[in-house]
């Protein structure tokens, strides 16, 4: 019985530790996103995976707001 209780406590501690780690990473990524936005770096992209669209006067590409995997790699 003591082994079962010990295993349950260990599993609970592992679960709590995992959640704390996820919360810390989330907070760090949000802080980094704010820093990048203040510096003028935005998640806007215009790659093929985003579906490129020309401006009406054909002077360039309209930037979208889809956050790409490259954006998330900058946050870590």
């Amino acid at each position: 019985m003591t082994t079962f209780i010990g295993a349950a406590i260990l599993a609970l501690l592992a679960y709590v530790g995992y959640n704390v780690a996820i919360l810390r990473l989330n907070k760090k990524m949000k802080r980094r996103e704010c820093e990048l936005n203040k510096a003028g770096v935005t998640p806007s992209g215009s790659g093929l995976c985003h579906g490129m669209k020309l401006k009406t006067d054909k002077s360039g590409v309209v930037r979208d707001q889809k956050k790409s995997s490259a954006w998330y790699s900058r946050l870590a």
Side-chain angles (χ1 to χ4, degrees), residues 3-47:
T3 308
F4 178 73
I5 293 172
I9 290 172
L10 187 63
L12 181 63
L13 288 174
Y15 177 75
V16 168
Y18 175 76
N19 282 328
V20 167
I22 293 296
L23 288 173
R24 289 183 71 211
L25 180 62
N26 191 11
K27 184 177 178 181
K28 177 184 170 189
M29 289 177 72
K30 293 280 186 190
R31 187 176 337 115
R32 180 71 176 140
E33 184 175 21
C34 287
E35 290 173 6
L36 287 172
N37 283 332
K38 285 180 184 177
V41 179
T42 61
S44 301
S46 54

